[in-house]
Amino acid sequence: MDCDTAKSKLFPYVDGELATELRDQVEAHLARCGACRRLVDFEVAFRETYVDRLRPDPAPERVREQVATLLPDLVHGQRAGRTQRWLKRLALGVGAALLVAIGLSAGVALQSHLGTRTTLAELTDAAVEQHQKLVRDLLPPDIKDVSPKAAEEWFRKRLAFNVSLPDLKTEGLRLLGGRISHLREVEVAALEYQVDGNNVSLFIIPEEAYRQLRLKDKPRFKVVSHRGYDVVIWRSQGAGYTLVSEIGDRACLVCHAPHEKLEPLPRPSAHL
């Protein structure tokens, strides 16, 4: 079984819906493929954290009482007359439609979130992998030893989306260089910084690619812990940003001066 096939079976595998033979094939693939295993672990962690919150509330008591009252009448024919039968059917239809609407809305919301998880997990994994390559000089910079504004102009001439870098004069912060790179086949601006001697990578992605993640507006900063790295994802000024480091909140000096009042970062929403 290859990765594409395994990923197509991810949700039914987590739901326990696969036949024994197919489940064994998926588990054999997961045993030798760390990337797919991490996707499964992330999906399980996400469901444990969020799925219960998305379960629909029961239908209002009044609606359930009306449906319960109408059903016996329809079964036993206790009410006569075409008009009354029509009204009962209409009431039953409205009640049933309401129940279906509640279920569908919750189902759509749940499926939307479950569909988002794999995309977010893959983006996070790709960002961490790129960060490691930048730190180890496996991805040489296209530009180095330039100011943030000079780097901004360089990227804007080569990328078809807004690249905005604050020109911060912060002690302990240094822009090492940048390059055009890719996260999951999405062309991005990749920048490498040092904050108090610690390597921090910032990836700027097109807003369209960020919107495809279908993340909620709040909290503004989405934090994921992956392979021992803190990954922060947010949107600003017509682009998406992904920050990778091992120093938590301190990495935010890349985009904000120390005196700025920042929205507190939440705890990691999931671990990969």
Side-chain angles (χ1 to χ4, degrees), residues 204-222:
I204 305 176
I205 67 178
E207 185 171 28
E208 180 181 355
Y210 179 89
R211 290 187 181 278
Q212 289 177 358
L213 298 175
R214 302 192 299 277
L215 301 175
K216 292 184 177 180
D217 291 335
K218 292 187 177 181
R220 180 186 178 193
F221 299 101
K222 288 76 176 174

Side-chain angles (χ1 to χ4, degrees), residues 6 13 25-34 36-37 40:
Y13 172 75
Q25 293 177 12
V26 172
E27 290 180 345
H29 176 80
L30 295 177
R32 63 177 183 271
C33 179
C36 289
R37 179 74 253 176
V40 170

Side-chain angles (χ1 to χ4, degrees), residues 149 152 156 161-166 202 204 236-237 239 241 255:
K149 289 303 178 185
E152 185 178 280
R156 285 182 173 178
F161 61 92
N162 182 50
V163 174
S164 180
L165 302 176
L202 176 66
I204 305 176
S236 178
Q237 299 182 357
Y241 292 79
C255 299

Side-chain angles (χ1 to χ4, degrees), residues 148-160:
K149 289 303 178 185
E152 185 178 280
E153 289 300 320
W154 187 88
F155 281 114
R156 285 182 173 178
K157 292 177 181 178
R158 292 164 175 81
L159 295 175

Side-chain angles (χ1 to χ4, degrees), residues 38-39 55 69 74 169 171 176 214 247:
R38 287 191 294 272
L39 291 179
R55 296 192 187 281
T69 300
L74 290 174
K169 307 297 183 182
E171 184 177 355
L176 301 179
R214 302 192 299 277
I247 57 175

Side-chain angles (χ1 to χ4, degrees), residues 49 57 62 71-72 82 102 112 115 118 123 141 157 199 216-217 221 227-228 252 264:
T49 304
D57 294 329
R62 180 175 57 83
L71 284 176
R82 296 178 60 184
I102 293 172
S112 174
T118 300
L123 173 67
K157 292 177 181 178
N199 291 90
K216 292 184 177 180
D217 291 335
F221 299 101
R227 298 192 204 170
C252 293

